[in-house]
Amino acid sequence: MFSREIFSKRVKMLRLSHNLSQIELAKIVGFSYSSAIGDIERGRRTTPIDKIVALADYFDVSVDYLIGRTDNPKLNK
């Protein structure tokens, strides 16, 4: 099951742990507008699967971890 709240928190936690600004992460993942990460972190929006995969790949975590299906970041990686 997808949890928007967990997804929002984990994206923010991972971004901060990598010392990235929201704008930097948006560029890395390929969002066309710079406020996309802020919207995700505030739970205002979700994102297409290709962007979720890009986030998981960049942070070297599983998609299941990002969306709250597991607390193990490396599960099924």
Coordinates of all heavy atoms in Angstrom, one line a residue:
M1 N 0.8 -1.2 0.0 CA 0.0 0.0 0.0 C 0.9 1.3 0.0 O 1.9 1.3 0.7 CB -0.9 0.0 1.2 CG -1.7 1.3 1.4 SD -2.7 1.3 2.9 CE -4.3 1.1 2.1
F2 N 0.5 2.2 -0.8 CA 1.2 3.5 -0.9 C 0.9 4.4 0.2 O -0.3 4.5 0.6 CB 0.9 4.2 -2.2 CG 1.5 5.5 -2.4 CD1 2.8 5.7 -2.7 CD2 0.7 6.6 -2.2 CE1 3.4 6.9 -2.8 CE2 1.3 7.9 -2.3 CZ 2.6 8.0 -2.6
S3 N 1.9 5.0 0.9 CA 1.6 6.0 1.9 C 2.2 7.3 1.5 O 3.4 7.5 1.4 CB 2.2 5.6 3.2 OG 2.1 6.6 4.2
R4 N 1.4 8.3 1.1 CA 1.8 9.6 0.7 C 2.6 10.3 1.9 O 3.6 10.9 1.6 CB 0.7 10.5 0.3 CG 1.1 11.9 -0.2 CD 0.0 12.7 -0.5 NE -0.7 12.2 -1.7 CZ -1.5 12.8 -2.5 NH1 -1.8 14.1 -2.3 NH2 -2.0 12.3 -3.6
E5 N 2.2 10.1 3.1 CA 2.9 10.7 4.2 C 4.3 10.1 4.4 O 5.3 10.9 4.6 CB 2.1 10.4 5.5 CG 2.7 11.1 6.7 CD 1.9 10.8 8.0 OE1 0.7 10.4 7.9 OE2 2.5 11.1 9.1
I6 N 4.4 8.8 4.3 CA 5.7 8.2 4.4 C 6.6 8.6 3.2 O 7.8 8.9 3.4 CB 5.6 6.6 4.5 CG1 5.0 6.3 5.9 CG2 7.0 6.0 4.3 CD1 4.7 4.8 6.0
F7 N 6.1 8.6 2.0 CA 6.8 9.0 0.8 C 7.3 10.4 1.0 O 8.5 10.6 0.8 CB 5.9 8.9 -0.4 CG 6.5 9.3 -1.7 CD1 7.6 8.6 -2.2 CD2 6.0 10.4 -2.4 CE1 8.2 9.0 -3.4 CE2 6.6 10.8 -3.6 CZ 7.6 10.1 -4.1
S8 N 6.5 11.3 1.5 CA 6.9 12.7 1.7 C 8.1 12.8 2.7 O 9.1 13.5 2.4 CB 5.7 13.5 2.2 OG 4.7 13.5 1.3
K9 N 7.9 12.1 3.8 CA 8.9 12.2 4.8 C 10.3 11.6 4.4 O 11.3 12.1 4.7 CB 8.4 11.5 6.1 CG 7.4 12.2 6.8 CD 6.9 11.5 8.1 CE 5.8 12.3 8.8 NZ 5.3 11.6 10.0
R10 N 10.2 10.5 3.7 CA 11.4 9.8 3.2 C 12.1 10.6 2.2 O 13.4 10.6 2.2 CB 11.1 8.4 2.8 CG 10.7 7.5 4.0 CD 10.6 6.1 3.8 NE 10.4 5.4 5.1 CZ 10.0 4.2 5.2 NH1 9.7 3.5 4.2 NH2 9.8 3.7 6.4
V11 N 11.4 11.2 1.2 CA 12.1 12.0 0.2 C 12.8 13.1 0.9 O 14.0 13.4 0.6 CB 11.1 12.5 -0.8 CG1 11.7 13.6 -1.7 CG2 10.5 11.4 -1.7
K12 N 12.2 13.8 1.9 CA 12.8 14.9 2.6 C 14.0 14.5 3.4 O 15.1 15.1 3.3 CB 11.8 15.6 3.5 CG 12.4 16.8 4.2 CD 11.3 17.6 4.9 CE 11.9 18.9 5.5 NZ 10.9 19.7 6.2
M13 N 13.8 13.3 4.1 CA 14.9 12.8 4.9 C 16.2 12.5 4.1 O 17.3 12.8 4.4 CB 14.5 11.6 5.7 CG 15.5 11.0 6.7 SD 16.5 9.6 6.0 CE 15.2 8.5 5.3
L14 N 15.9 11.8 2.9 CA 17.0 11.4 2.0 C 17.6 12.7 1.4 O 18.9 12.7 1.3 CB 16.5 10.5 1.0 CG 16.1 9.1 1.5 CD1 15.3 8.3 0.4 CD2 17.4 8.3 1.8
R15 N 16.8 13.6 1.0 CA 17.4 14.8 0.4 C 18.3 15.6 1.4 O 19.4 16.0 1.0 CB 16.2 15.8 -0.1 CG 16.7 17.1 -0.6 CD 15.6 18.0 -1.0 NE 14.8 18.4 0.1 CZ 15.1 19.4 1.0 NH1 16.3 20.0 0.9 NH2 14.3 19.7 1.9
L16 N 17.8 15.7 2.6 CA 18.6 16.4 3.6 C 19.9 15.7 4.0 O 20.9 16.3 4.2 CB 17.7 16.7 4.9 CG 16.6 17.7 4.7 CD1 15.8 17.7 6.0 CD2 17.1 19.1 4.3
S17 N 19.8 14.3 4.0 CA 21.0 13.5 4.4 C 22.0 13.6 3.3 O 23.2 13.3 3.5 CB 20.6 12.1 4.6 OG 20.2 11.4 3.5
H18 N 21.6 14.0 2.1 CA 22.6 14.2 1.0 C 22.9 15.6 0.7 O 23.5 16.0 -0.3 CB 22.0 13.6 -0.3 CG 22.1 12.1 -0.3 ND1 21.2 11.3 0.4 CD2 22.9 11.2 -1.0 CE1 21.5 10.0 0.2 NE2 22.5 9.9 -0.7
N19 N 22.5 16.5 1.7 CA 22.8 17.9 1.6 C 22.4 18.6 0.3 O 23.1 19.3 -0.3 CB 24.2 18.2 1.9 CG 24.6 17.8 3.3 OD1 23.9 18.1 4.2 ND2 25.7 17.0 3.4
L20 N 21.2 18.2 -0.2 CA 20.7 18.8 -1.5 C 19.5 19.7 -1.2 O 18.7 19.5 -0.3 CB 20.1 17.6 -2.4 CG 21.1 16.6 -2.9 CD1 20.3 15.4 -3.5 CD2 22.0 17.2 -3.9
S21 N 19.5 20.8 -2.0 CA 18.3 21.7 -2.0 C 17.2 21.0 -2.7 O 17.4 20.1 -3.5 CB 18.7 23.0 -2.6 OG 18.8 22.9 -4.0
Q22 N 16.0 21.5 -2.6 CA 14.8 21.0 -3.3 C 15.1 21.2 -4.8 O 14.8 20.3 -5.6 CB 13.6 21.6 -2.9 CG 13.2 21.2 -1.5 CD 11.9 22.0 -1.0 OE1 11.5 23.0 -1.5 NE2 11.4 21.5 0.1
I23 N 15.6 22.3 -5.2 CA 15.8 22.7 -6.6 C 16.9 21.7 -7.2 O 16.7 21.2 -8.3 CB 16.3 24.1 -6.8 CG1 15.1 25.0 -6.4 CG2 16.8 24.4 -8.2 CD1 15.4 26.5 -6.3
E24 N 18.0 21.4 -6.4 CA 19.0 20.5 -6.9 C 18.4 19.1 -7.2 O 18.7 18.5 -8.2 CB 20.1 20.4 -5.9 CG 21.0 21.7 -5.8 CD 22.0 21.6 -4.6 OE1 21.6 21.1 -3.6 OE2 23.1 22.2 -4.8
L25 N 17.6 18.6 -6.2 CA 17.0 17.3 -6.4 C 16.1 17.3 -7.6 O 16.0 16.3 -8.3 CB 16.4 16.8 -5.1 CG 15.8 15.4 -5.1 CD1 16.9 14.4 -5.5 CD2 15.2 15.1 -3.8
A26 N 15.3 18.3 -7.7 CA 14.4 18.4 -8.8 C 15.1 18.3 -10.2 O 14.7 17.6 -11.1 CB 13.6 19.7 -8.8
K27 N 16.2 19.0 -10.3 CA 17.0 18.9 -11.5 C 17.6 17.5 -11.7 O 17.6 16.9 -12.8 CB 18.2 19.9 -11.5 CG 17.7 21.3 -11.6 CD 18.8 22.3 -11.6 CE 18.3 23.7 -11.6 NZ 19.4 24.7 -11.5
I28 N 18.1 16.9 -10.6 CA 18.7 15.6 -10.7 C 17.7 14.5 -11.2 O 18.0 13.7 -12.0 CB 19.3 15.1 -9.3 CG1 20.5 16.0 -9.0 CG2 19.6 13.6 -9.3 CD1 21.0 15.9 -7.6
V29 N 16.5 14.6 -10.7 CA 15.5 13.6 -11.0 C 14.8 13.9 -12.3 O 14.2 13.1 -12.9 CB 14.4 13.5 -9.8 CG1 13.3 12.6 -10.2 CG2 15.1 13.1 -8.6
G30 N 14.9 15.2 -12.8 CA 14.3 15.5 -14.1 C 12.9 16.2 -14.0 O 12.2 16.1 -15.0
F31 N 12.6 16.8 -12.9 CA 11.3 17.5 -12.9 C 11.5 18.8 -13.7 O 12.5 19.4 -13.7 CB 10.9 17.9 -11.4 CG 10.3 16.7 -10.7 CD1 11.1 16.1 -9.7 CD2 9.0 16.3 -10.9 CE1 10.5 15.0 -9.0 CE2 8.5 15.3 -10.2 CZ 9.2 14.6 -9.3
S32 N 10.4 19.2 -14.4 CA 10.4 20.4 -15.2 C 10.2 21.6 -14.4 O 10.5 22.7 -15.0 CB 9.4 20.2 -16.3 OG 8.1 20.1 -15.8
Y33 N 9.8 21.6 -13.2 CA 9.6 22.8 -12.4 C 10.2 22.5 -11.0 O 10.2 21.5 -10.5 CB 8.2 23.2 -12.3 CG 7.2 22.2 -11.6 CD1 6.9 22.4 -10.3 CD2 6.7 21.1 -12.3 CE1 6.0 21.6 -9.7 CE2 5.9 20.3 -11.7 CZ 5.5 20.5 -10.4 OH 4.7 19.6 -9.7
S34 N 10.8 23.6 -10.5 CA 11.7 23.5 -9.3 C 10.9 23.3 -8.0 O 11.5 22.8 -7.0 CB 12.6 24.7 -9.2 OG 11.8 25.9 -9.1
S35 N 9.6 23.6 -8.0 CA 8.9 23.4 -6.7 C 8.3 22.0 -6.6 O 7.6 21.7 -5.6 CB 7.7 24.4 -6.7 OG 6.8 24.2 -7.7
A36 N 8.6 21.1 -7.5 CA 8.0 19.7 -7.4 C 8.4 19.0 -6.2 O 7.6 18.3 -5.5 CB 8.5 18.9 -8.7
I37 N 9.7 19.1 -5.8 CA 10.2 18.4 -4.6 C 9.5 18.9 -3.3 O 9.1 18.2 -2.4 CB 11.7 18.4 -4.5 CG1 12.3 17.7 -5.7 CG2 12.2 17.8 -3.1 CD1 12.0 16.2 -5.8
G38 N 9.4 20.3 -3.3 CA 8.7 20.9 -2.1 C 7.2 20.4 -2.0 O 6.7 20.1 -0.9
D39 N 6.6 20.3 -3.2 CA 5.2 19.8 -3.2 C 5.1 18.4 -2.7 O 4.2 18.0 -2.0 CB 4.6 19.9 -4.6 CG 4.3 21.3 -5.0 OD1 4.3 22.2 -4.2 OD2 4.1 21.5 -6.3
I40 N 6.1 17.6 -3.1 CA 6.1 16.2 -2.7 C 6.3 16.1 -1.1 O 5.7 15.4 -0.4 CB 7.2 15.4 -3.4 CG1 6.8 15.2 -4.9 CG2 7.5 14.0 -2.7 CD1 7.9 14.7 -5.7
E41 N 7.3 16.9 -0.7 CA 7.7 16.9 0.8 C 6.5 17.4 1.6 O 6.4 17.0 2.8 CB 8.9 17.7 1.0 CG 10.2 17.0 0.4 CD 11.4 17.8 0.6 OE1 11.4 18.9 1.2 OE2 12.5 17.3 0.2
R42 N 5.7 18.2 1.1 CA 4.5 18.7 1.9 C 3.3 17.9 1.7 O 2.2 18.2 2.2 CB 4.3 20.2 1.5 CG 5.3 21.2 2.0 CD 4.9 22.6 1.8 NE 5.1 23.0 0.4 CZ 6.2 23.3 -0.2 NH1 7.4 23.2 0.5 NH2 6.3 23.7 -1.5
G43 N 3.4 16.8 0.9 CA 2.3 15.9 0.7 C 1.3 16.5 -0.2 O 0.1 16.0 -0.3
R44 N 1.6 17.5 -1.0 CA 0.6 18.1 -1.9 C 0.5 17.3 -3.2 O -0.5 17.5 -3.9 CB 1.1 19.5 -2.2 CG 1.0 20.4 -1.1 CD 1.3 21.8 -1.5 NE 1.3 22.7 -0.3 CZ 1.9 23.9 -0.3 NH1 2.5 24.4 -1.3 NH2 1.8 24.6 0.8
R45 N 1.4 16.5 -3.6 CA 1.4 15.8 -4.8 C 2.2 14.5 -4.7 O 3.1 14.4 -3.9 CB 1.9 16.6 -6.0 CG 3.4 16.9 -5.9 CD 4.0 17.4 -7.1 NE 4.2 16.3 -8.1 CZ 4.5 16.5 -9.3 NH1 4.6 17.7 -9.8 NH2 4.6 15.4 -10.1
T46 N 1.8 13.5 -5.5 CA 2.7 12.4 -5.7 C 3.4 12.6 -7.0 O 3.5 13.7 -7.5 CB 1.8 11.1 -5.7 OG1 0.8 11.2 -6.8 CG2 1.1 10.8 -4.4
T47 N 4.0 11.6 -7.5 CA 4.8 11.7 -8.7 C 4.6 10.5 -9.6 O 4.3 9.4 -9.1 CB 6.2 12.0 -8.3 OG1 7.0 12.4 -9.5 CG2 6.9 10.9 -7.6
P48 N 4.9 10.6 -10.9 CA 4.8 9.5 -11.8 C 5.8 8.4 -11.4 O 6.9 8.7 -10.8 CB 5.1 10.1 -13.2 CG 5.0 11.5 -13.0 CD 5.2 11.9 -11.6
I49 N 5.6 7.2 -11.8 CA 6.4 6.1 -11.4 C 7.9 6.3 -11.9 O 8.8 5.9 -11.2 CB 5.8 4.7 -11.8 CG1 6.6 3.6 -11.2 CG2 5.8 4.6 -13.3 CD1 6.5 3.4 -9.7
D50 N 8.0 6.9 -13.0 CA 9.4 7.1 -13.5 C 10.2 8.0 -12.6 O 11.4 7.8 -12.5 CB 9.4 7.6 -15.0 CG 8.8 8.9 -15.2 OD1 7.7 9.2 -14.6 OD2 9.4 9.7 -15.9
K51 N 9.6 9.0 -12.0 CA 10.3 9.9 -11.1 C 10.5 9.1 -9.7 O 11.5 9.4 -9.1 CB 9.5 11.1 -10.8 CG 9.2 11.9 -12.1 CD 10.5 12.3 -12.8 CE 10.1 13.2 -14.0 NZ 11.2 13.3 -15.0
I52 N 9.6 8.3 -9.3 CA 9.8 7.5 -8.1 C 11.0 6.6 -8.3 O 11.9 6.5 -7.4 CB 8.6 6.7 -7.7 CG1 7.4 7.7 -7.3 CG2 8.9 5.8 -6.5 CD1 6.1 7.0 -7.0
V53 N 11.1 6.0 -9.4 CA 12.2 5.1 -9.7 C 13.5 5.9 -9.8 O 14.6 5.5 -9.2 CB 12.0 4.3 -11.0 CG1 13.3 3.6 -11.5 CG2 10.8 3.3 -10.9
A54 N 13.5 7.1 -10.4 CA 14.7 7.9 -10.4 C 15.1 8.3 -9.0 O 16.3 8.4 -8.7 CB 14.4 9.2 -11.3
L55 N 14.2 8.7 -8.1 CA 14.5 9.0 -6.8 C 15.2 7.8 -6.1 O 16.2 7.9 -5.4 CB 13.3 9.4 -6.0 CG 12.7 10.8 -6.3 CD1 11.3 11.0 -5.8 CD2 13.6 11.9 -5.7
A56 N 14.5 6.6 -6.2 CA 15.1 5.4 -5.6 C 16.5 5.1 -6.1 O 17.4 4.8 -5.4 CB 14.1 4.2 -5.9
D57 N 16.7 5.2 -7.4 CA 18.0 5.0 -8.0 C 19.0 6.0 -7.5 O 20.1 5.6 -7.1 CB 17.9 5.0 -9.5 CG 17.2 3.9 -10.2 OD1 17.0 2.8 -9.5 OD2 16.9 3.9 -11.4
Y58 N 18.7 7.2 -7.5 CA 19.6 8.3 -7.0 C 20.0 8.0 -5.6 O 21.2 8.1 -5.2 CB 19.0 9.7 -7.2 CG 20.0 10.7 -6.7 CD1 21.1 11.1 -7.5 CD2 19.9 11.3 -5.4 CE1 22.0 12.0 -7.1 CE2 20.9 12.2 -5.0 CZ 21.9 12.5 -5.8 OH 22.9 13.4 -5.4
F59 N 19.1 7.7 -4.7 CA 19.4 7.5 -3.3 C 19.8 6.1 -2.9 O 20.1 5.8 -1.8 CB 18.2 8.0 -2.4 CG 17.9 9.4 -2.4 CD1 16.7 10.0 -2.9 CD2 18.9 10.3 -2.0 CE1 16.5 11.3 -2.9 CE2 18.7 11.7 -2.0 CZ 17.5 12.2 -2.4
D60 N 19.8 5.2 -3.9 CA 20.2 3.8 -3.8 C 19.3 3.1 -2.7 O 19.8 2.5 -1.8 CB 21.6 3.7 -3.4 CG 22.1 2.3 -3.6 OD1 21.6 1.5 -4.4 OD2 23.1 1.9 -2.8
V61 N 18.0 3.3 -2.8 CA 17.0 2.7 -2.0 C 16.0 2.0 -2.9 O 15.9 2.3 -4.1 CB 16.3 3.6 -1.0 CG1 17.3 4.3 0.0 CG2 15.5 4.7 -1.7
S62 N 15.2 1.1 -2.3 CA 14.1 0.5 -3.1 C 12.9 1.4 -3.2 O 12.7 2.2 -2.4 CB 13.7 -0.9 -2.4 OG 13.0 -0.6 -1.2
V63 N 12.2 1.2 -4.3 CA 10.9 1.9 -4.4 C 10.0 1.5 -3.3 O 9.3 2.4 -2.8 CB 10.3 1.5 -5.8 CG1 8.8 2.0 -5.9 CG2 11.1 2.1 -7.0
D64 N 10.0 0.3 -2.9 CA 9.1 -0.1 -1.8 C 9.4 0.7 -0.5 O 8.5 1.0 0.3 CB 9.3 -1.6 -1.5 CG 8.5 -2.5 -2.5 OD1 7.7 -2.0 -3.2 OD2 8.8 -3.7 -2.5
Y65 N 10.7 0.9 -0.3 CA 11.0 1.8 0.9 C 10.5 3.2 0.7 O 9.9 3.7 1.7 CB 12.6 1.8 1.1 CG 13.0 2.8 2.1 CD1 12.9 2.4 3.5 CD2 13.6 4.0 1.8 CE1 13.3 3.3 4.5 CE2 14.0 4.9 2.8 CZ 13.9 4.5 4.1 OH 14.2 5.4 5.1
L66 N 10.7 3.8 -0.4 CA 10.2 5.1 -0.6 C 8.7 5.3 -0.4 O 8.2 6.3 0.1 CB 10.5 5.6 -2.1 CG 11.9 6.2 -2.3 CD1 12.0 6.7 -3.7 CD2 12.2 7.4 -1.4
I67 N 7.9 4.3 -0.9 CA 6.5 4.4 -0.8 C 5.9 3.9 0.5 O 4.7 3.9 0.6 CB 5.8 3.9 -2.1 CG1 6.0 2.4 -2.2 CG2 6.3 4.6 -3.3 CD1 5.2 1.7 -3.3
G68 N 6.7 3.3 1.3 CA 6.2 2.9 2.6 C 5.8 1.5 2.7 O 5.2 1.1 3.7
R69 N 6.2 0.6 1.7 CA 5.8 -0.8 1.8 C 6.7 -1.6 2.7 O 6.4 -2.7 3.1 CB 5.8 -1.4 0.4 CG 4.6 -0.8 -0.4 CD 4.6 -1.5 -1.8 NE 4.7 -2.9 -1.6 CZ 4.2 -3.8 -2.5 NH1 3.6 -3.3 -3.6 NH2 4.4 -5.1 -2.4
T70 N 7.9 -1.0 3.0 CA 8.9 -1.7 3.9 C 9.7 -0.6 4.6 O 9.8 0.6 4.1 CB 9.8 -2.6 3.1 OG1 10.7 -3.2 4.0 CG2 10.6 -1.9 2.1
D71 N 10.3 -0.9 5.7 CA 11.2 0.0 6.4 C 12.6 -0.3 6.1 O 13.5 0.3 6.6 CB 10.9 -0.1 7.9 CG 9.6 0.5 8.3 OD1 9.1 1.5 7.6 OD2 9.0 0.1 9.3
N72 N 12.9 -1.3 5.3 CA 14.2 -1.7 4.9 C 14.5 -1.0 3.5 O 14.0 -1.4 2.5 CB 14.3 -3.2 4.7 CG 15.7 -3.7 4.4 OD1 16.5 -3.0 4.0 ND2 15.9 -5.0 4.5
P73 N 15.4 -0.1 3.5 CA 15.7 0.6 2.3 C 16.3 -0.2 1.2 O 16.3 0.2 0.0 CB 16.7 1.8 2.7 CG 17.2 1.4 4.1 CD 16.2 0.4 4.7
K74 N 16.9 -1.3 1.5 CA 17.6 -2.2 0.5 C 16.8 -3.4 0.1 O 17.2 -4.1 -0.8 CB 19.0 -2.6 1.0 CG 19.9 -1.5 1.4 CD 20.2 -0.7 0.2 CE 21.2 0.4 0.6 NZ 21.4 1.4 -0.5
L75 N 15.7 -3.6 0.7 CA 14.8 -4.8 0.3 C 14.5 -4.7 -1.1 O 14.1 -3.7 -1.7 CB 13.6 -4.7 1.2 CG 12.7 -6.0 1.1 CD1 13.4 -7.2 1.7 CD2 11.4 -5.7 1.9
N76 N 14.7 -5.9 -1.8 CA 14.3 -6.0 -3.2 C 15.1 -5.1 -4.1 O 14.7 -4.8 -5.2 CB 12.8 -5.9 -3.5 CG 12.0 -6.9 -2.7 OD1 12.5 -8.1 -2.6 ND2 10.9 -6.6 -2.2
K77 N 16.2 -4.6 -3.7 CA 17.0 -3.7 -4.5 C 17.9 -4.5 -5.5 O 18.4 -5.5 -5.2 CB 17.9 -2.8 -3.6 CG 18.8 -1.8 -4.3 CD 17.9 -0.7 -4.8 CE 18.9 0.3 -5.4 NZ 18.6 0.6 -6.8

